[in-house]
């Protein structure tokens, strides 16, 4: 049994820099025709010079494959000249909750402070990508942030707002309430719950932010993905950390899923008799939401067992060492 | 400022075997006049011969201090002769539902099937100590188990039942509904929530079963401990694992709190103006519930800063490397 996907897209990806970039970027670029590249480096990608340099580094690291890096700027207050200069080079701006907390009147003040930049983004057609978590109790952070999305969507009705890596049924409910609100969902939030992270032995390689939630939340995300909800895009949030930052006294948040995404998505959609919706979920929806036109690629998967490596370099992948029923058997680049 | 405690008791303690027993047992025995010693070894302490050998090993490891090891048998179905023979040597029987925590693979599968043994225990006056968690979603396990406590307390009204290491406000509510129901609470569940485990970096040394819960649950536990709830005993559930079983791809559940318990309890009760209740919480309640008469010891703590070691042997303690305002300054044994 085979499956062909046309130009898969990963609408939320961490590629890092330096040696890590060189290690992980090809693993995304060989399977995906394009990806939204996150700007949360140290220091962040928050100016045009850094953006140009990082874009060049990503292109260099992915040069062996036809791959469109959809770059993002780290959200801060920018003036019109900067945004206009950036616009041809970015797909959107990524907002992290620092400075936009929902917890207090302070959150409202912060939102007011960034309104001019949001106004410009709306005017210029630059999407806003948001890591939507409050500073509250770890399991409540996404739910507590939803009113911020609600307010932003009302206040800037022509601004495209993407709720990144949603993990709750409540976020899906909100998704349907505003035409300018979209979302990405990761592979791992479709597959695991907090039980997989902490229900037996604690699994640092499954630890991520937002943290995996309850079975009911996963069920809602699964249902939406499997029917290719028209506003829900695939975004892996694949986020590599070296082994010694994961199996450690303080374990960094991030699941490195890049090399196993398409086999696991094929298995998941096949197991739920939803394979006809996978192309929409993993590519078409993003093309339509963002209006992008990625390189033409054809990725063929087959139902042939494949064992995930225990590590790629010093990074342990999602499902390390597990044997998966599907694998990528051919990558055809036009 | 000083504080004297008379014969502190730890009513839930894991001492392990072999080199680990020799490492950790003195750290409890120097501060505590007695402790309830858990039987979940490999294989479990579930027969009289093993009980005698383990008791001897614990006595050997704690011989430098006056210390009463209150031994337990691993719950399974026992006949009357065995229970009668065991009774002088144990403080109770510890019931694990199968598979819910460290070394619980031989635990109970069918609670209805164990009624005859519970009947005998009630008849013989042997308390039942329970790790009360279902096999459900990790955050719901204790709440889902509460109906079992409720049923057992009604069905065996003269059986002393101890809900071990409770973590939820709901468990405290149940505590007041049956005169034969008691509970222990750990130090770490008074101090941390899931936010401390997984809200920032993931902290394997704070990972335990039952997992730390929500702020509201901690608040309820704190209130009950600080007023020395008459049915709530201190039980540390101190559970050492070697470093390489904690900072690992699969991290074992357990917080090693033994060496820091009294300093942290002193700080916690002092910070909440509840020092006068600490003696009751950490000793008197257990003496009255179990009718034990531990060795007479006097542990003096002073408000003098003390830095917790980064490790004891190959075990990382709770609050490793942190400087605590209180420390034990004198241990007087009668």
């Amino acid at each position: 049994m085979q499956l062909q996907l046309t130009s898969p897209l990963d609408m939320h990806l961490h590629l890092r820099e330096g040696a890590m970039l060189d290690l992980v970027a090809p693993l995304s670029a060989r399977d995906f025709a394009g990806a939204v590249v996150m700007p949360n480096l140290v220091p962040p990608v928050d100016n045009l010079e850094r953006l140009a340099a990082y874009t060049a580094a990503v292109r260099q690291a992915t040069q062996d494959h036809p791959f469109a890096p959809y770059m993002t700027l780290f959200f801060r207050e920018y003036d019109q000249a900067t945004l206009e200069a950036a616009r041809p080079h970015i797909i959107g701006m990524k907002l992290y909750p620092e400075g936009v907390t929902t917890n207090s009147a302070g959150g409202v003040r912060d939102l007011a402070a960034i309104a001019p930049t949001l106004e410009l983004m709306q005017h210029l057609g630059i999407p806003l990508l948001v890591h939507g978590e409050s500073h509250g109790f770890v399991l409540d952070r996404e739910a507590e942030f939803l009113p911020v999305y609600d307010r932003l969507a009302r206040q800037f009705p022509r601004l495209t707002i993407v709720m990144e890596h949603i993990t709750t049924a409540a976020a899906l409910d909100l998704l349907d309430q505003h035409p300018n609100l979209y979302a990405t969902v990761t592979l791992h939030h479709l597959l695991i719950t907090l039980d997989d992270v902490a229900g037996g032995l604690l699994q640092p390689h499954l630890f991520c932010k937002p943290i995996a939630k309850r079975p009911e939340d996963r069920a809602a995300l699964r249902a939406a993905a499997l029917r290719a909800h028209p506003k829900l895009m695939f975004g892996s949030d694949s986020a590599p950390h070296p082994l010694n930052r994961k199996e450690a006294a303080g374990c960094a948040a991030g699941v490195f899923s890049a090399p196993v995404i398409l086999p696991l998505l094929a298995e998941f959609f096949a197991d739920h008799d939803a394979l006809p919706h996978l192309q929409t979920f993993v590519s078409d929806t993003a093309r339509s939401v963002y209006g992008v036109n990625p390189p033409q690629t054809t990725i063929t998967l087959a139902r042939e067992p494949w064992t995930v490596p225990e590590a790629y370099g010093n990074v342990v992948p999602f499902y390390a060492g597990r044997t998966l029923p599907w694998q990528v058997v051919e990558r055809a680049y036009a």
Side-chain angles (χ1 to χ4, degrees), chain A:
Chain A
M1 187 174 176
Q2 288 209 332
L3 163 71
Q4 288 196 329
L5 295 172
T6 302
S7 305
L9 296 172
D10 182 346
M11 302 310 284
H12 189 127
L13 180 62
H14 295 273
L15 287 178
R16 314 304 193 199
E17 288 186 279
M20 185 64 91
L21 170 65
D22 292 337
L23 173 69
V24 304
L27 298 169
S28 284
R30 65 181 186 177
D31 283 356
F32 290 89
V36 174
V37 180
M38 291 295 144
N40 58 331
L41 307 177
V42 182
V45 180
D46 67 353
N47 62 72
L48 295 178
E49 190 182 351
R50 181 113 168 89
L51 175 66
Y54 189 41
T55 306
V58 170
R59 288 194 189 283
Q60 171 77 23
T62 57
Q63 62 183 331
D64 291 342
H65 307 91
F67 177 76
Y70 301 121
M71 306 303 290
T72 56
L73 267 188
F74 193 94
F75 185 98
R76 56 176 183 79
E77 292 171 62
Y78 293 97
D79 60 25
Q80 182 158 355
T82 305
L83 289 177
E84 283 180 352
R87 185 169 57 162
H89 308 295
I90 61 173
I91 197 168
M93 295 236 289
K94 176 70 185 293
L95 188 152
Y96 289 87
E98 288 77 4
V100 192
T101 169
T102 58
N103 281 346
S104 60
V108 177
R109 276 200 304 275
D110 289 336
L111 272 178
I114 64 171
T117 301
L118 296 176
E119 200 72 68
L120 286 168
M121 289 171 63
Q122 176 171 258
H123 175 67
L124 295 169
I126 299 174
L128 176 70
L129 285 54
V130 184
H131 180 121
E133 289 198 291
S134 75
H135 294 90
F137 179 61
V138 61
L139 292 172
D140 299 341
R141 290 174 189 173
E142 181 169 299
E144 288 177 354
F145 195 86
L146 295 180
V148 177
Y149 283 128
D150 187 66
R151 219 175 315 145
L152 290 173
R154 286 175 205 278
Q155 196 177 346
F156 304 97
R158 287 169 294 106
L159 177 65
T160 292
I161 302 170
V162 184
M163 304 189 287
E164 295 293 336
H165 45 55
I166 60 170
T167 61
T168 59
L172 278 169
D173 290 341
L174 186 66
L175 184 59
D176 293 324
Q177 290 175 31
H178 299 286
N180 58 328
L181 205 52
Y182 300 88
T184 60
V185 66
T186 75
L187 170 67
H188 49 281
H189 289 112
L190 293 174
L191 297 188
I192 69 172
T193 70
L194 187 62
D195 257 351
D196 297 284
V197 184
L201 297 175
L202 186 68
Q203 303 295 338
H205 296 293
L206 301 182
F207 172 63
C208 58
K209 295 288 173 63
I211 202 161
K213 302 293 191 307
R214 303 184 56 89
E216 310 88 272
D217 290 306
R218 181 180 63 176
L221 297 172
R222 287 179 162 191
L226 289 168
R227 74 178 176 91
H229 184 295
K231 297 168 77 185
L232 183 64
M233 299 172 280
F234 175 70
S236 72
D237 199 14
S238 180
H241 292 285
L243 179 65
N244 65 4
R245 293 270 293 125
K246 293 295 284 181
E247 300 178 15
C251 157
V255 171
F256 177 55
S257 56
V260 297
I261 291 167
L262 295 184
L264 282 170
L265 282 178
E267 177 183 358
F268 175 63
F269 275 68
D271 285 353
H272 293 82
D273 293 322
L275 274 184
H277 291 163
L278 181 51
Q279 173 65 36
T280 306
F281 175 63
V282 81
S283 180
D284 301 352
T285 302
R287 292 173 78 133
S288 116
V289 169
Y290 279 106
V292 291
N293 187 21
Q296 174 79 19
T297 70
T298 304
I299 307 297
T300 304
L301 292 108
R303 205 177 158 79
E304 295 171 14
W306 169 63
T307 300
V308 180
E310 293 289 352
Y312 289 85
N314 61 347
V315 184
V316 175
F318 192 45
Y319 276 51
R322 305 252 293 258
T323 298
L324 309 183
W326 288 78
Q327 63 172 296
V328 175
V329 292
E330 197 186 343
R331 300 169 172 97
Y333 309 125

